[in-house]
Amino acid sequence: MLEITIIVFGLAKCITGKLKLILIKEGTQFIVIRVPLAGLKLGNITLNIFFIFSCTLSLFYAIPFPVIRHYSIRFIRPQRKDILIILDLTDMAANSTIVGVINFITLLLSIPVIGAGIWLANEPDNACVKILQWPLIILGTSIAVVALLGFVGGCWRITWLLIFYLFAMFILILVFACLVVLIYLITNQGSGHPAPGRIYLEHDLDDFSGWLRRKVTNPYKWDRIRSCLNSTDMCSELNQRYRIAQDFFNARLTSIQYGCCMPPAECGYSYINPTYWLTPNNTAASMDCLQWSNDQMQLCFHCDSCKAGLLANLTKEWRSVDIILFITLVVLICMYLIGFCFALRKSKTGDTSPRRHKQNT
């Protein structure tokens, strides 16, 4: 609060003309300013120096007051009524650039994480299952918030905020790494097998991890997911797109369309249109053959092949997301290590502060 009062009062003195600043020399790494002390009524020279300094930075560079602590300053009084202020910009430029670049890149790294969550939320299958999208959005938002706090703490030299930044980002990186590994382990199964007489792959529930299977085998959860899938147009659009049987059988459909919108190939149903099939004489090949219905609200949404097709779709999309997350995680770890090493080096060498370089003669 004292600093805010000082800078406001110092600016007021500059505006009213009671405090004069004379720029003697300006370079890329330093500024030399002569300040006549005649007319200054305050007896505390330290307070006047704050006035001069805050006013100088505000007038010439419009830099917020807390950032001036990055500057290396020397005050010299060659004459009784003058003060020379030498502002060394080298330390400030290096500190602000490193802190700014690290936190800006970290902030950018939150974009692919949030974007991956939003993309999954807009996919019909993930929107119905609701497993991964919200954790990604929350994780990405947390990384962005912590990066902003680190930027504020670095530029304004708020020690406790920097400590919180390092600790919080470390926790987020651990959570991020666990999530990447978990997605890889879950999606490393479910390769599928060729369907009889077809060009696509069929999937069984046993092909997938137990954790993922439990998300769809629970009757209550599956009723909710089935209703959500049935409300989409993923099956009805097939009737509009494919009029000829050969075009339909040669089409590259999604696994969930193969599993939910048509009977399994082993059942031997005869094609009429993509969602209407003639029942064969023998439907005992599997339970899914009995579950199929030409009712457009039923189709094969009760079949295990539909559940397996849904999981196959999920794992395919999650694999793509996991690649993006892995690359993002590697870059994030590199940025964190650079920032940590920089903070460690600064703590060992000591910061350059105005008090350390202030010389009154």
Side-chain angles (χ1 to χ4, degrees):
M1 190 64 187
L2 177 61
E3 293 175 349
I4 297 176
T5 305
I6 290 173
I7 185 171
V8 171
F9 187 42
L11 286 173
K13 295 183 70 174
C14 289
I15 294 172
T16 57
K18 294 181 180 179
L19 184 61
K20 296 181 180 179
L21 302 175
I22 302 173
L23 182 62
I24 298 178
K25 188 173 182 180
E26 180 179 5
T28 57
Q29 295 183 341
F30 64 92
I31 301 173
V32 180
I33 299 172
R34 182 170 67 86
V35 184
L37 294 183
L40 291 181
K41 301 300 183 181
L42 293 176
N44 190 333
I45 188 63
T46 304
L47 207 57
N48 278 306
I49 288 173
F50 271 115
F51 292 155
I52 296 166
F53 188 40
S54 61
C55 191
T56 302
L57 294 180
S58 299
L59 290 178
F60 287 102
Y61 291 93
I63 298 176
F65 183 77
V67 182
I68 66 175
R69 298 172 189 169
H70 288 277
Y71 284 86
S72 173
I73 312 165
R74 287 181 292 166
F75 297 96
I76 304 174
R77 298 187 65 182
Q79 298 180 12
R80 187 174 181 82
K81 295 184 178 182
D82 289 340
I83 286 183
L84 287 183
I85 303 178
I86 302 175
L87 304 180
D88 187 354
L89 307 181
T90 306
D91 285 347
M92 179 274 202
N95 291 346
S96 296
T97 300
I98 293 176
V99 171
V101 169
I102 290 176
N103 287 281
F104 180 71
I105 294 177
T106 304
L107 184 62
L108 292 180
L109 290 175
S110 67
I111 296 177
V113 181
I114 298 175
I118 294 175
W119 177 72
L120 289 178
N122 290 324
E123 292 297 307
D125 50 352
N126 278 278
C128 292
V129 178
K130 298 178 181 178
I131 298 177
L132 189 59
Q133 56 267 45
W134 280 112
L136 289 180
I137 293 174
I138 294 173
L139 177 62
T141 304
S142 301
I143 292 174
V145 171
V146 172
L148 287 175
L149 293 177
F151 180 82
V152 173
C155 290
W156 271 260
R157 312 290 284 180
I158 305 175
T159 304
W160 69 267
L161 201 55
L162 287 174
I163 295 175
F164 174 79
Y165 161 77
L166 292 175
F167 177 77
M169 189 58 70
F170 178 74
I171 298 299
L172 289 176
I173 288 176
L174 286 181
V175 174
F176 199 174
C178 292
L179 184 62
V180 170
V181 173
L182 179 63
I183 294 174
Y184 173 77
L185 294 177
I186 291 175
T187 60
N188 198 32
Q189 304 178 39
S191 57
H193 54 273
R198 307 287 170 84
I199 64 172
Y200 57 85
L201 297 178
E202 286 187 334
H203 299 83
D204 295 326
L205 283 175
D206 294 335
D207 296 338
F208 302 94
S209 66
W211 179 83
L212 202 55
R213 280 201 310 271
R214 286 191 292 271
K215 296 296 180 181
V216 297
T217 53
N218 181 284
Y220 172 77
K221 292 181 179 179
W222 179 248
D223 286 342
R224 178 182 58 80
I225 295 172
R226 178 178 56 81
S227 299
C228 178
L229 293 175
N230 207 1
S231 64
T232 66
D233 60 351
M234 66 176 186
C235 293
S236 59
E237 68 176 0
L238 298 179
N239 292 328
Q240 303 172 2
R241 186 178 301 176
Y242 304 105
R243 301 293 184 180
I244 304 175
Q246 194 61 37
D247 293 340
F248 174 74
F249 290 126
N250 292 333
R252 296 289 181 179
L253 307 181
T254 63
S255 298
I256 192 171
Q257 287 177 320
Y258 285 130
C260 301
C261 303
M262 54 186 293
E266 62 180 353
C267 297
Y269 280 78
S270 300
Y271 175 88
I272 300 297
N273 65 42
T275 60
Y276 194 90
W277 299 71
L278 289 179
T279 306
N281 294 328
N282 182 16
T283 58
S286 70
M287 285 300 298
D288 283 353
C289 299
L290 298 174
Q291 295 284 356
W292 167 260
S293 173
N294 284 320
D295 182 351
Q296 299 301 294
M297 297 302 295
Q298 298 293 328
L299 299 179
C300 213
F301 284 106
H302 292 282
C303 304
D304 286 344
S305 62
C306 183
K307 300 174 183 177
L310 171 63
L311 296 184
N313 244 40
L314 291 179
T315 54
K316 181 180 179 181
E317 292 169 355
W318 289 9
R319 284 193 199 106
S320 301
V321 167
D322 201 37
I323 294 174
I324 298 174
L325 295 181
F326 176 76
I327 297 173
T328 304
L329 176 64
V330 171
V331 180
L332 181 62
I333 291 175
C334 293
M335 290 297 101
Y336 179 82
L337 291 178
I338 292 173
F340 181 81
C341 293
F342 176 74
L344 187 63
R345 181 177 64 85
K346 291 297 290 182
S347 66
K348 289 183 177 180
T349 57
D351 291 334
T352 303
S353 64
R355 292 184 179 179
R356 190 170 295 183
H357 290 275
K358 179 179 174 181
Q359 298 176 356
N360 289 328
T361 59

